[in-house]
Amino acid sequence: MYIHLGGEKIIRSSELIAIFDISIEKSSKVSKQFVIQAQASKQLERIGEEEAKSIVVTKNIVYYSPISSSTLKKRAKILLEI
């Protein structure tokens, strides 16, 4: 199954590790360091031009998504129930 992250980006649900609200980047030093490390190793991808609302962590890439974390979590939950 697949999850639409915004724009034209779709990932396999099996690749998904975590979905976070973008505010975690400001409230947690560990998460900020994680994002900085992903950016330094060229594993950070911004989806579209809109402001990021969530951070999606997959096995290989970290995405800044313009879709809220609650919406993405609902999409992932629907896939788990199938």
Side-chain angles (χ1 to χ4, degrees):
M1 301 304 274
Y2 298 91
I3 301 172
H4 178 248
L5 300 181
E8 295 182 13
K9 182 57 67 179
I10 297 173
I11 62 166
R12 288 180 173 259
S13 57
S14 61
E15 295 288 314
L16 181 66
I17 294 175
I19 300 170
F20 300 104
D21 188 84
I22 195 73
S23 64
I24 196 169
E25 195 175 38
K26 293 181 177 91
S27 63
S28 169
K29 289 181 182 181
V30 173
S31 62
K32 182 65 175 173
Q33 287 289 2
F34 178 77
V35 170
I36 289 170
Q37 182 63 35
Q39 188 173 19
S41 60
K42 306 229 187 269
Q43 293 178 321
L44 180 68
E45 185 176 322
R46 182 176 297 276
I47 300 170
E49 299 294 321
E50 299 173 53
E51 181 181 348
K53 295 180 182 173
S54 61
I55 298 171
V56 179
V57 181
T58 67
K59 292 179 181 177
N60 299 312
I61 300 177
V62 177
Y63 296 98
Y64 275 148
S65 173
I67 299 175
S68 73
S69 59
S70 60
T71 300
L72 291 172
K73 287 176 185 177
K74 287 176 190 172
R75 290 178 184 181
K77 183 181 179 195
I78 289 169
L79 293 176
L80 292 174
E81 292 176 350
I82 294 176

